Amino acid sequence: MISTKKHVQQLAALLHQKGINDVIISPGSRNGPMINTFVGSGLFNCRNVVDERSAAYFAMGLAQALKKPVVIVCSSGTATLNYAPAIAEAFYLNIPLIVITADRPEYWINQLENQCINQKGIYSNFVKKEYNLPLEESETELWQAAREINECLNAAVSGKPAPVHINVPLEEPLHDLLDEELPIIKAIDTKKSVLEIDKASLNKFAAELNASKKILILAGQQNPDLELEKLLAAFTEKTGALVLKEHLANLTDESFCGSIDTMMAAILEEVPADFQPDILISFGGHFVSKALKQFLRKNKAGQHWHLSPANDHYDTYQSLTEVVQTDAKTFFSQLIPEVSDKNTAYLQRWTTKENEVNQLRDKYISDSRFSDLKVIAEVGQYVPENSVVHLGNSSPVRYALIADWTTNTTFLSNRGTSGIDGPMSTAVGYASVSEKINTVLIGDLSFFYDSNALWNNYIGDNLRVIVINNGGGNIFSLIKGPGESPAFNKHFYAENKFKALGIAQTFGLDYLSAENETELKNSLAELYSPTRKKPTILEVFTDAEVNTKTFRGLFKFVKQ
């Protein structure tokens, strides 16, 4: 049984024909025609998440795991606004959400009608394309709507992936049904273009690389890609170029350098010009390290080439000289045969410094008191091989980038907009279709903020949540500024006296806790025991003042 609404029928038909079959539904009445059609057709994998904010983040994680678009469907009014944070995050992480919002007919807008706001263009800054379906169902309007829906769905996945929004105004009756199959609607396809570098440009790049002694490659946030990793390793082996990456780049080759924040602290005590690149090549998404950005803005590369299939002019380091409209795999595969033998001095300078810094880091953490830094370093050694770690924003993502981790760990984080409002919902969505152990490493404020992530029926036995409870927003005492404010305790740190035990009990998760190093090791062994077959929260309690002193002390220590 499907809805009698013809626009809804052909919207569902086109989604199915394009292989977009995963739908996250938040309950409502105005979106009844979509719910009835997606469920009643039997062609879609429909999941129900009540909280729209959590639902949209859940869908984002699901899309990351499936590597394909996911549909979110909600009712009208403020339900649509609750989607906005996740849509913004997905926009900056290039994740293709198909956002479908039910709406009242336009003639009821601003007429004291219930659950009614102006939804046209509501996400205009954070979607690649948006379309308001017609209310009437004439042959011409159905043809136009089908064309526009095709364009929206194609836009979501072509070029740089991003969310798209289809707003659906609906008149009553909303729940009339037909015992029919979905109609066959003409699907319009697009072909992916090949972004090879022309011969003249290739020769120019090769000549400039061959003439340069200090080549720095910045690999930003991205999904694991073994083919790209092999190409980067081969390019480094041949040219002596340095690859700098954070854990979120998901690159594991031992020739790449990753201890960025601690190296920055040590380098600034030496001669920064020795580490300043002649040529900077960047690709991928965000970097967490503020110190790296400051270093490269102050010690600018002579040339900065940014690789972007979408021709993005990202000038993060204020030195951009060329945008190369291609992807990293194409760029390096074409250049490897053209570049000359390596000059290893620059690479060796960085790797020597990293080895020195890592030894100092390990000694410091070993000798330090129980703190967030020691906790996350310990977690890094207990996480199972070939598992997924979802890093919460603020403190956890920064601490995690300092520590070493078990091999073959995949790292994910909501670093598009870096908010604390949805990391757990995103992780739950991802874990719901993952066969691996999924660990969420999250702070206490972020955990409580997004606790509705656990309010659904898709919490898998593979989910492990580690809550670092330092009693508030400890990040604000780590960075300069807020800690010196008279408003710090109440309005920055936002002291938290709650524990996660009640939430674990509410949603039926197992609960473990730790307040010292011995308890932590025992709890981590239990958390990751092969016999554990239930989602579990481990809450670790640390002291904020000790955390601040330990964190700041690390960077002073490595400067020696």
Side-chain angles (χ1 to χ4, degrees), residues 157-159 190-195 309 327:
V157 295
S158 60
T190 59
K191 300 298 180 184
K192 186 176 180 180
S193 58
V194 178
L195 297 173
D327 61 89

Side-chain angles (χ1 to χ4, degrees), residues 528-545:
Y528 292 117
S529 169
T531 61
R532 178 163 292 277
K533 303 298 181 184
K534 191 174 180 182
T536 304
I537 294 172
L538 166 59
E539 188 169 21
V540 186
F541 298 92
T542 62
D543 183 272
E545 187 174 343

Side-chain angles (χ1 to χ4, degrees), residues 206-239:
E208 290 170 347
L209 289 168
N210 291 337
S212 299
K213 296 181 179 180
K214 297 187 292 182
I215 304 167
L216 173 59
I217 300 170
L218 289 185
Q221 182 176 4
Q222 61 183 3
N223 292 324
D225 190 325
L226 184 59
E227 182 184 355
L228 174 59
E229 181 154 356
K230 289 179 178 178
L231 286 168
L232 282 171
F235 186 84
T236 298
E237 174 66 24
K238 190 168 185 182
T239 64

Side-chain angles (χ1 to χ4, degrees), residues 114-223:
N114 293 332
Q115 206 170 333
C116 185
I117 64 174
N118 188 351
Q119 295 177 197
K120 281 189 177 179
I122 198 169
Y123 315 117
S124 59
N125 289 328
F126 308 112
V127 292
K128 196 172 180 181
K129 185 171 177 58
E130 53 193 340
Y131 179 57
N132 205 70
L133 283 177
L135 189 63
E136 301 301 324
E137 297 181 340
S138 71
E139 184 176 333
T140 300
E141 283 161 326
L142 286 167
W143 163 77
Q144 178 193 1
R147 188 194 72 222
E148 294 279 3
I149 292 167
N150 267 291
E151 191 172 348
C152 271
L153 301 183
N154 289 341
V157 295
S158 60
K160 182 165 65 173
V164 295
H165 176 212
I166 300 172
N167 191 52
V168 188
L170 293 160
E171 286 183 313
E172 297 182 9
L174 299 171
H175 301 284
D176 288 354
L177 302 177
L178 292 171
D179 188 10
E180 295 181 5
E181 295 183 351
L182 291 177
I184 302 298
I185 307 297
K186 181 179 67 174
I188 303 171
D189 295 323
T190 59
K191 300 298 180 184
K192 186 176 180 180
S193 58
V194 178
L195 297 173
E196 290 192 355
I197 306 169
D198 63 86
K199 187 63 177 175
S201 298
L202 195 63
N203 291 338
K204 178 180 78 74
F205 291 139
E208 290 170 347
L209 289 168
N210 291 337
S212 299
K213 296 181 179 180
K214 297 187 292 182
I215 304 167
L216 173 59
I217 300 170
L218 289 185
Q221 182 176 4
Q222 61 183 3
N223 292 324

Side-chain angles (χ1 to χ4, degrees), residues 495-513:
E495 184 180 7
N496 166 54
K497 297 181 180 179
F498 298 102
K499 297 181 180 180
L501 174 60
I503 289 177
Q505 292 172 335
T506 296
F507 295 115
L509 278 70
D510 279 355
Y511 177 84
L512 303 169
S513 66

